[in-house]
Amino acid sequence: MRKIIFLLSTSVLVNIYSNITKAQQIDTVSTWSLSAYVDAYYAYYTDSVGIGKYQKFPTVSPRSNSIGINVFQIAAQYDGEKVRAMAVLHFGDIPNSSWSATYNAIEEAHAGIKIFKTLWLDAGFFRSHFGTEFLLPKENLTSSLAVTTYFEPFYESGFRLNFDPTKRLEINLFGLNGYGLFEDNNNNKSIGMGITYVLNDNIGIGYTNYIGDDTPRDTLPHLRFSNNLFINCQFKKVKIQVGADYCFQQNSDLATMSKTATMYSGLATVKYQAKPKFAIYARGEIFNDPNSIMAASFKDQSGNKTGYKLWGLTAGLEFKPSDNSYIRIEGRRLQMDQAQDIFRYNGQNLNYRNEIMVNMGLSFDLLKGVQTKKGNTSNVIITPNNN
């Protein structure tokens, strides 16, 4: 079935290419691109979950003692003066472990129209706007994702109002089906916002949020207000990323189920480019969700119902044979609260997990900057690849 989906998807993209190169009459210069990305891995975890199953917090490299494909991705993008669109398909362990079961092959697919100058309205399926880290290894300083990123939404569906009043400031407003949902699960709709501002050539800051209630009908309301603040810095050979989340949700206190509960988390990542092709990096993270706003509750050693309380340390080495490729070896230690033995290894319940993963990735352009012009249906220009 997956092979059939893949062949059909490839056929659709080829047809898009054929139709555009035949070039219908258009009212301006438009560009479109076709790109691909693949990430392969080997990982090992000190946590026994059974043959063929994913590790706890499964996203990047989710299978232990296994060689696999995190993602094979193919993306098509069209940009015109008045309209634009993007469609991204993906296959592998990341979509299988973390994505929508209904629309598993679709990473994102949306179309947009220009309303006024730098104001656009887009609609469809999006990658999540919320959080400090992105989803894919090529987009982050590390290969693995922090635990807080796992509990943030990976995808969403709805409308996006995109406004770039200056070259340094970008504002996005969202009307969504829900938190990490393609299909709505109740009659409620949610809203979100993302703001990024580039202070200078070295520092950028951002704020994202989400407000909504995704609980089923005929239950107590659980309005959630999630906030995220992040900063990215680069000074010569050093890159720094710092982010923090704070969330509160009504009727979510485990003791009473009638009070508002809160959670918080944070991460800090530093990468040092020791040589042109070699870098070292490290990340520290905390995740404190005592009332299980984000994750399911469980009983600790004392029999008390609780949520996750943990910290983690990650360290890694990166070798980049080229600008569009990488090889990384990375280790991480996740440490739970003393009474929270959620991991099991060699017949023992443990409150910590050690991890090691090796990732190899390559992204490349199949076609880039293809242009079509009004009044000359045979004029197709392919601009040079500047990467």
Side-chain angles (χ1 to χ4, degrees), residues 260-314:
T260 298
T262 62
M263 67 78 61
Y264 67 86
S265 63
L267 65 92
T269 310
V270 178
K271 183 178 183 180
Y272 175 67
Q273 197 71 40
K275 297 289 183 179
K277 294 185 177 182
F278 288 92
I280 58 175
Y281 57 86
R283 178 184 62 203
E285 60 180 292
I286 58 172
F287 182 80
N288 192 289
D289 184 20
N291 289 288
S292 299
I293 293 177
M294 299 297 179
S297 62
F298 64 98
K299 290 187 178 181
D300 62 17
Q301 290 180 357
S302 303
N304 298 319
K305 196 174 183 180
T306 185
Y308 290 124
K309 303 174 187 178
L310 66 85
W311 59 265
L313 290 176
T314 304

Side-chain angles (χ1 to χ4, degrees), residues 185-245:
N185 66 339
N186 56 28
N187 290 327
N188 300 326
K189 293 295 179 283
S190 304
I191 59 174
M193 178 175 66
I195 302 175
T196 57
Y197 183 70
V198 179
L199 296 176
N200 51 49
D201 292 340
N202 299 319
I203 303 174
I205 60 174
Y207 168 76
T208 60
N209 69 20
Y210 168 88
I211 305 173
D213 184 352
D214 298 313
T215 52
R217 290 179 291 178
D218 302 324
T219 64
L220 286 174
H222 293 84
L223 182 66
R224 175 180 294 180
F225 185 17
S226 293
N227 301 268
N228 164 259
L229 183 66
F230 64 88
I231 181 169
N232 293 311
C233 308
Q234 181 168 359
F235 304 99
K236 294 183 178 180
K237 296 183 177 182
V238 178
K239 293 182 180 180
I240 301 172
Q241 183 180 65
V242 179
D245 289 6

Side-chain angles (χ1 to χ4, degrees), residues 38-58:
V38 62
D39 179 276
Y41 75 92
Y42 170 81
Y44 188 84
Y45 301 83
T46 57
D47 183 23
S48 302
V49 293
I51 298 174
K53 294 184 179 180
Y54 298 112
Q55 300 300 308
K56 294 178 180 66
F57 322 124

Side-chain angles (χ1 to χ4, degrees), residues 76-124:
Q77 183 170 348
Y78 174 83
D79 290 291
E81 182 184 10
K82 298 179 181 179
V83 295
R84 64 186 183 185
M86 174 176 282
V88 183
L89 304 176
H90 63 178
F91 309 89
D93 279 345
I94 289 178
N96 286 342
S97 67
S98 310
W99 223 253
S100 163
T102 306
Y103 299 101
N104 186 256
I106 301 177
E107 187 174 308
E108 56 182 316
H110 46 84
I113 58 172
K114 180 188 285 188
I115 299 176
F116 177 75
K117 291 185 177 179
T118 60
L119 180 64
W120 288 78
L121 177 65
D122 302 283

Side-chain angles (χ1 to χ4, degrees), residues 82-387:
K82 298 179 181 179
V83 295
R84 64 186 183 185
M86 174 176 282
V88 183
L89 304 176
H90 63 178
F91 309 89
D93 279 345
I94 289 178
N96 286 342
S97 67
S98 310
W99 223 253
S100 163
T102 306
Y103 299 101
N104 186 256
I106 301 177
E107 187 174 308
E108 56 182 316
H110 46 84
I113 58 172
K114 180 188 285 188
I115 299 176
F116 177 75
K117 291 185 177 179
T118 60
L119 180 64
W120 288 78
L121 177 65
D122 302 283
F125 291 175
F126 301 93
R127 290 263 300 275
S128 173
H129 74 283
F130 187 91
T132 301
E133 294 181 320
F134 293 99
L135 172 69
L136 302 174
K138 71 171 182 175
E139 301 169 321
N140 292 319
L141 302 181
T142 63
S143 290
S144 63
L145 297 180
V147 172
T148 185
T149 307
Y150 171 74
F151 286 108
E152 293 166 352
F154 293 135
Y155 52 86
E156 57 196 15
S157 61
F159 294 92
R160 176 181 66 190
L161 198 62
N162 170 235
F163 181 47
D164 298 337
T166 71
K167 292 183 178 180
R168 294 182 178 270
L169 178 63
E170 180 179 1
I171 301 172
N172 290 287
L173 302 176
F174 292 85
L176 304 169
N177 276 335
Y179 190 88
L181 296 171
F182 278 153
E183 298 176 289
D184 202 351
N185 66 339
N186 56 28
N187 290 327
N188 300 326
K189 293 295 179 283
S190 304
I191 59 174
M193 178 175 66
I195 302 175
T196 57
Y197 183 70
V198 179
L199 296 176
N200 51 49
D201 292 340
N202 299 319
I203 303 174
I205 60 174
Y207 168 76
T208 60
N209 69 20
Y210 168 88
I211 305 173
D213 184 352
D214 298 313
T215 52
R217 290 179 291 178
D218 302 324
T219 64
L220 286 174
H222 293 84
L223 182 66
R224 175 180 294 180
F225 185 17
S226 293
N227 301 268
N228 164 259
L229 183 66
F230 64 88
I231 181 169
N232 293 311
C233 308
Q234 181 168 359
F235 304 99
K236 294 183 178 180
K237 296 183 177 182
V238 178
K239 293 182 180 180
I240 301 172
Q241 183 180 65
V242 179
D245 289 6
Y246 181 78
C247 173
F248 58 87
Q249 183 171 289
Q250 67 179 147
N251 297 316
S252 298
D253 178 75
L254 284 180
T256 64
M257 299 306 294
S258 61
K259 297 181 180 179
T260 298
T262 62
M263 67 78 61
Y264 67 86
S265 63
L267 65 92
T269 310
V270 178
K271 183 178 183 180
Y272 175 67
Q273 197 71 40
K275 297 289 183 179
K277 294 185 177 182
F278 288 92
I280 58 175
Y281 57 86
R283 178 184 62 203
E285 60 180 292
I286 58 172
F287 182 80
N288 192 289
D289 184 20
N291 289 288
S292 299
I293 293 177
M294 299 297 179
S297 62
F298 64 98
K299 290 187 178 181
D300 62 17
Q301 290 180 357
S302 303
N304 298 319
K305 196 174 183 180
T306 185
Y308 290 124
K309 303 174 187 178
L310 66 85
W311 59 265
L313 290 176
T314 304
L317 300 172
E318 179 185 70
F319 171 63
K320 290 181 69 68
S322 62
D323 290 341
N324 62 333
S325 64
Y326 58 83
I327 300 172
R328 293 177 186 156
I329 180 169
E330 179 175 304
R332 177 164 68 164
R333 166 88 168 209
L334 285 181
Q335 181 72 55
M336 304 295 298
D337 195 54
Q338 186 174 4
Q340 297 185 341
D341 295 343
I342 68 168
F343 305 112
R344 184 170 179 81
Y345 186 63
N346 287 339
Q348 293 183 320
N349 294 327
L350 304 172
N351 68 338
Y352 66 88
R353 181 175 80 186
N354 296 320
E355 312 170 7
I356 187 169
M357 64 179 64
V358 180
N359 290 76
M360 180 182 297
L362 173 66
S363 57
F364 51 95
D365 294 309
L366 300 172
L367 290 169
K368 182 178 181 179
V370 177
Q371 295 185 353
T372 54
K373 292 184 178 181
K374 178 181 177 180
N376 186 354
T377 58
S378 62
N379 186 8
V380 178
I381 304 172
I382 301 180
T383 58
N385 186 343
N386 296 321
N387 284 344

